[in-house]
Amino acid sequence: MRQIVLDTETTGLNPRSGDRVIEVGCVELINRRLTGNNFHRYINPERDSEEGALAVHGLTTEFLSDKPKFAEIAAELRDYISGAEVIIHNAPFDVGFLDAEFARLDIPRFADHVAKITDTLVQAKEMHPGKRNSLDSLCDRYGISNAHRALHGALLDAELLAEVYLAMTRGQNSLTIDLAIAETVSVVGDAAATLPIAEIMVLEATADELAEHEALLDRLDKEAKGTCVWRTPAN
C-alpha cells in the first residue's frame, strides 16, 4: 500500500485571484512505514507573496527567483504521486491550488492522477469533535514534537502530518488482533472493572482573544480578496 503525505505553501489564500504554489513537500509511506523517498521542490511563482502568507512561510520573492517554475516540475510531481493514496490536511485548499496549476498547463485535475485523497482534517473532526484540529493541535494531542517548526514549510509539515496520521490511525492495524484476543478471553460475572472517566476541562477564549481572532480573520479576508478558509462553515 503506497501512501503520499503532501503539503504545499502558496503566495496567498485564493488561487482564483492569481495566487500560486511556491513549495511542494511529500513523504512516502509504504505499508505504513516511512521510506525516505521524499519529494520536495521550491517553485518560482512569478509574483510576490501576500504579506500574511509571507509571515507564515518566510519564502521571499528573492529566494524563489532562481527556482524552477511549476511547469518545469509538473511531470515529476505527477509521476511521484501517480496511483497513490494522497493524505492532506485540509485537502480542498492544497488540491484547489494544484488543480489551478495543472489547469494552466492543460493537465487533468489532481484527483485524476491518484487513487484516493484522504483529508486528515475531516478525520480529526470526526475523531475529536468540538476540539481544535490544526496540525499544531494534533501534534500536541498525539505527543509529536514540533518545537523545531518556527515557520511553516511544506516538507516539514508533510513529515509532521505523516506522524500525526500514523498516530490517528494506529488502532486500525490492531483491530483484527484485538478481536481475536477478545474471543479467547472469558469474563466471569462482573469481574471486568470500569475505569472512571476523568473530568473534562473546557477553557473558553476571553473577549480580548476573540476580538484579536476576528481582527486577524478580517485581515486575511482583505488579503484573500474574499472569504478566507477559516470562515468557511464546517460541513
Side-chain angles (χ1 to χ4, degrees), residues 91-128:
F93 180 87
D94 299 86
V95 172
F97 269 93
L98 290 169
D99 280 347
E101 296 288 355
F102 284 174
R104 290 185 180 95
L105 303 173
D106 292 324
I107 296 173
R109 64 194 185 116
F110 182 84
D112 292 338
H113 305 284
V114 303
K116 178 182 179 182
I117 298 173
T118 296
D119 190 338
T120 49
L121 179 58
V122 173
Q123 286 185 326
K125 287 180 177 180
E126 292 173 349
M127 294 173 66
H128 311 290

Side-chain angles (χ1 to χ4, degrees), residues 68-111:
K69 298 178 177 62
F70 191 89
E72 298 173 65
I73 65 100
E76 190 180 6
L77 174 60
R78 283 190 297 157
D79 289 344
Y80 181 83
I81 64 173
S82 179
E85 175 187 0
V86 180
I87 299 162
I88 307 173
H89 200 66
N90 191 18
F93 180 87
D94 299 86
V95 172
F97 269 93
L98 290 169
D99 280 347
E101 296 288 355
F102 284 174
R104 290 185 180 95
L105 303 173
D106 292 324
I107 296 173
R109 64 194 185 116
F110 182 84

Side-chain angles (χ1 to χ4, degrees), residues 74-203:
E76 190 180 6
L77 174 60
R78 283 190 297 157
D79 289 344
Y80 181 83
I81 64 173
S82 179
E85 175 187 0
V86 180
I87 299 162
I88 307 173
H89 200 66
N90 191 18
F93 180 87
D94 299 86
V95 172
F97 269 93
L98 290 169
D99 280 347
E101 296 288 355
F102 284 174
R104 290 185 180 95
L105 303 173
D106 292 324
I107 296 173
R109 64 194 185 116
F110 182 84
D112 292 338
H113 305 284
V114 303
K116 178 182 179 182
I117 298 173
T118 296
D119 190 338
T120 49
L121 179 58
V122 173
Q123 286 185 326
K125 287 180 177 180
E126 292 173 349
M127 294 173 66
H128 311 290
K131 295 185 178 180
R132 295 176 179 174
N133 290 300
S134 67
L135 182 55
D136 283 336
S137 297
L138 291 172
C139 285
D140 290 342
R141 188 168 302 144
Y142 289 103
I144 296 166
S145 175
N146 60 350
H148 52 303
R149 184 180 186 244
L151 291 170
H152 286 252
L155 183 60
L156 173 58
D157 285 1
E159 290 171 341
L160 289 172
L161 181 57
E163 293 189 61
V164 166
Y165 173 78
L166 291 173
M168 286 173 60
T169 59
R170 187 167 292 134
Q172 294 178 5
N173 277 0
S174 59
L175 180 60
T176 303
I177 297 173
D178 291 343
L179 289 174
I181 293 173
E183 290 175 357
T184 65
V185 176
S186 60
V187 180
V188 180
D190 296 324
T194 302
L195 296 175
I197 299 175
E199 182 180 354
I200 298 174
M201 296 181 64
V202 178
L203 298 178

